[in-house]
Amino acid sequence: MTQILSSAPIKKKIIKELKTECKFLIENGIHPYLKVILVGNNPASLVYTASKKKFCEKIGAKCDIITLGENADQKTFLEIITGINQDPNVHGCIIQLPLPAHLSHLDVGKLVSEEKDVDGFHPNNLYAVLSNQISTDHFVSCTPKGIITLLMEYNVEIANKRVAIIGRSMIVGKPLACLFTNHDATVTLCHSKTPNIREITKECDIIVSAVGIAHLIDQSFISNKKNQVVIDVGMNTDTNGQLCGDVDFEKVKDHVLAITPVPGGVGPMTIISLAQNLLQASKNRLSL
Ligand code: NAD
């Protein structure tokens, strides 16, 4: 029987832990506080930012979404971030991507100060991942961190496994390749220019798809030995307007050992990681 790697039981357990931790911080004078900067009204971004706020509030943290118009000027945008970086009462800040075209040239990873960079995009946080020297002062990108948490919670072995990741973005594929490597897996990072991806994925124990094409991964990517674990990062819309992943779940599920669903797989793990990072950033203030 294929194991469905649902995030639901993990979410339940981790929410309990996060609520306790948040209560402890509040009792010690630190009320975890996240600021989310949203520029424009991209429908998906509106949904994602609302979910982040809801989750923070569920665990007892504060979260404000600062919404700027689609044409917000660069000066205002940068001033808001500087204000957040300097505000001792704010512990985490994220800039919701994508930014409108006129701001997309900005090096977003360097804007939020590293100690408030709960998205894990700052060069120093990325370097900690790259060099496998992650301490409590560092934040790991939320989706890659969430994927590793999910696999560990389900006792999926990572060490000595062959992993194929499809997608080489800075927010998913590249940091995830480092994390798997840090856990002693052997990783092949595939992308749009990789020839014969199916030959690679068929040979791997774990396949991660982070591409953004609905139902791209079908049975032709799978070994059919029922021994592979498939992680679907994709958040796409199908022809009926429904949320779906990169993996054709119905066609693939009976041919693998384990698979994440969409929705209810990687997406919630990303928000859990964000909340964990926020509480860590808040806890780091205790020792100051
Ligand atoms: P991106 O657009 O930055 O990168 C896509 C990657 O896919 C690129 O590296 C590209 O080379 C590769 N690619 C494109 N077409 C390909 C093909 N035909 N074959 C192989 N590789 C191909 O995307 P991203 O920001 O990493 O996001 C990828 C997907 O993951 C999107 O659907 C996004 O919505 C989703 N996402 C989900 C979460 C979550 O929490 N579940 C978080 C981040 C991103």
Side-chain angles (χ1 to χ4, degrees), residues 158-223:
I158 300 176
N160 303 319
K161 298 295 176 189
R162 290 161 306 170
V163 180
I165 301 172
I166 315 174
R168 57 177 162 181
S169 72
M170 284 290 284
I171 63 166
V172 187
K174 283 179 184 165
L176 182 61
C178 289
L179 286 187
F180 270 121
T181 308
N182 295 346
H183 281 85
D184 297 327
T186 301
V187 181
T188 307
L189 185 55
C190 310
H191 47 79
S192 54
K193 302 286 188 287
T194 307
N196 306 324
I197 292 185
R198 289 170 179 80
E199 284 175 19
I200 298 165
T201 54
K202 280 181 174 172
E203 292 298 316
C204 282
D205 305 296
I206 300 173
I207 303 169
V208 182
S209 184
V211 174
I213 299 179
H215 300 156
L216 172 76
I217 309 299
D218 58 16
Q219 225 182 311
S220 67
F221 286 77
I222 306 298
S223 77

Side-chain angles (χ1 to χ4, degrees), residues 64-288:
D64 284 341
I65 302 171
I66 301 170
T67 310
L68 301 176
E70 185 76 27
N71 299 318
D73 64 279
Q74 183 173 320
K75 188 166 171 277
T76 310
F77 175 68
L78 293 176
E79 275 170 5
I80 288 173
I81 300 168
T82 305
I84 293 172
N85 283 339
Q86 290 169 351
D87 185 344
N89 295 314
V90 178
H91 310 98
C93 175
I94 59 177
I95 300 166
Q96 185 65 41
L97 300 176
L99 288 172
H102 70 286
L103 297 176
S104 60
H105 65 283
L106 292 169
D107 199 347
V108 177
K110 290 180 181 157
L111 297 179
V112 176
S113 61
E114 65 181 286
E115 66 278 5
K116 295 188 184 183
D117 169 43
V118 288
D119 252 341
F121 295 163
H122 190 281
N124 293 354
N125 286 322
L126 287 170
Y127 184 73
V129 172
L130 191 63
S131 59
N132 196 13
Q133 291 181 328
I134 303 164
S135 76
T136 50
D137 287 337
H138 300 117
F139 304 105
V140 176
S141 310
C142 298
T143 303
K145 175 176 169 144
I147 291 170
I148 299 293
T149 306
L150 180 110
L151 291 173
M152 289 172 91
E153 289 286 335
Y154 276 101
N155 295 316
V156 174
E157 279 217 37
I158 300 176
N160 303 319
K161 298 295 176 189
R162 290 161 306 170
V163 180
I165 301 172
I166 315 174
R168 57 177 162 181
S169 72
M170 284 290 284
I171 63 166
V172 187
K174 283 179 184 165
L176 182 61
C178 289
L179 286 187
F180 270 121
T181 308
N182 295 346
H183 281 85
D184 297 327
T186 301
V187 181
T188 307
L189 185 55
C190 310
H191 47 79
S192 54
K193 302 286 188 287
T194 307
N196 306 324
I197 292 185
R198 289 170 179 80
E199 284 175 19
I200 298 165
T201 54
K202 280 181 174 172
E203 292 298 316
C204 282
D205 305 296
I206 300 173
I207 303 169
V208 182
S209 184
V211 174
I213 299 179
H215 300 156
L216 172 76
I217 309 299
D218 58 16
Q219 225 182 311
S220 67
F221 286 77
I222 306 298
S223 77
N224 281 320
K225 291 184 193 147
K226 273 204 86 137
N227 59 356
Q228 295 177 297
V229 175
V230 175
I231 305 293
D232 191 353
V233 182
M235 289 179 82
N236 313 301
T237 311
D238 68 14
T239 46
N240 299 319
Q242 298 295 311
L243 174 66
C244 72
D246 289 350
V247 180
D248 193 331
F249 187 84
E250 288 308 318
K251 287 194 183 141
V252 166
K253 77 172 188 324
D254 294 331
H255 305 280
V256 297
L257 186 64
I259 184 168
T260 58
V262 177
V266 173
M269 295 308 301
T270 299
I271 300 187
I272 288 170
S273 305
L274 174 67
Q276 288 174 323
N277 285 349
L278 175 68
L279 294 205
Q280 185 59 53
S282 310
K283 208 188 289 178
N284 291 347
R285 303 284 311 174
L286 276 179
S287 49
L288 292 180

